[in-house]
């Protein structure tokens, strides 16, 4: 499955102004990939179980390859969730930074003039 800027694609997720809209697409794409891998794992597990029940030598030998594939798929799911977690954390941090910058900009405005005698001793 080819990805364009999503989790695991090697391209960084750009969060912040305008980038936050990309997060739902990244999540949807990555969760879709995870769901596909998990569905395939379900099929692999069924075949492994059938081979184990029949105790056929060829089936048991095939289980070695199936279990390796299952292991690889599980590692891929872990990586995808790690990428998702990182993308989400960067988006949240960028959103917080944008909010803090906006709040600071709101505070910076025309200052009230001090009264002539304020802060001076007589």
């Amino acid at each position: 499955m080819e990805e364009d800027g999503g989790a695991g694609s090697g391209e960084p997720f750009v969060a912040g102004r305008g980038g936050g809209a990309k997060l739902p697409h990244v999540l949807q794409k990555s969760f879709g990939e995870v769901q596909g891998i998990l569905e395939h794992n379900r099929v692999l597990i069924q075949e492994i179980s059938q081979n184990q029940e029949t105790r056929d030598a060829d089936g048991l030998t095939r289980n070695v390859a199936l279990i390796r594939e299952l292991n690889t798929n599980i590692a891929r799911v872990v990586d995808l969730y790690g990428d998702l977690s990182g993308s989400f954390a960067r988006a949240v941090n960028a959103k917080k930074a944008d909010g803090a910058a906006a709040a600071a900009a709101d505070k910076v405005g025309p200052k009230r003039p001090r009264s002539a005698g304020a802060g001076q001793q007589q």
Side-chain angles (χ1 to χ4, degrees), residues 27-73:
L27 290 172
Q28 183 179 8
K29 190 170 199 170
S30 293
F31 280 125
E33 188 174 350
V34 166
Q35 185 175 353
I37 292 170
L38 293 176
E39 178 60 28
H40 183 67
N41 283 355
R42 186 183 66 77
V43 172
L44 290 175
I45 291 168
Q46 285 178 336
E47 185 176 346
I48 290 167
S49 293
Q50 289 172 353
N51 290 341
Q52 190 69 26
E53 287 174 11
T54 62
R55 298 199 183 275
D56 175 54
D58 290 337
L60 293 174
T61 302
R62 178 157 164 68
N63 275 0
V64 173
L66 294 173
I67 291 170
R68 283 190 182 126
E69 183 179 354
L70 190 62
N71 245 359
T72 301
N73 290 350

Side-chain angles (χ1 to χ4, degrees), residues 1-14 22-30 33 76 80 87:
M1 200 181 288
E2 192 64 29
E3 296 181 44
D4 55 346
S9 71
E11 289 185 33
F13 173 75
V14 180
K22 189 173 180 184
L23 185 61
H25 175 71
V26 169
L27 290 172
Q28 183 179 8
K29 190 170 199 170
S30 293
E33 188 174 350
R76 178 70 180 133
L80 285 167
S87 292

Side-chain angles (χ1 to χ4, degrees), residues 97-114:
D98 284 350
D106 287 345
K107 288 182 182 178
V108 176
K111 292 186 176 183
R112 294 185 310 180
R114 290 187 176 197

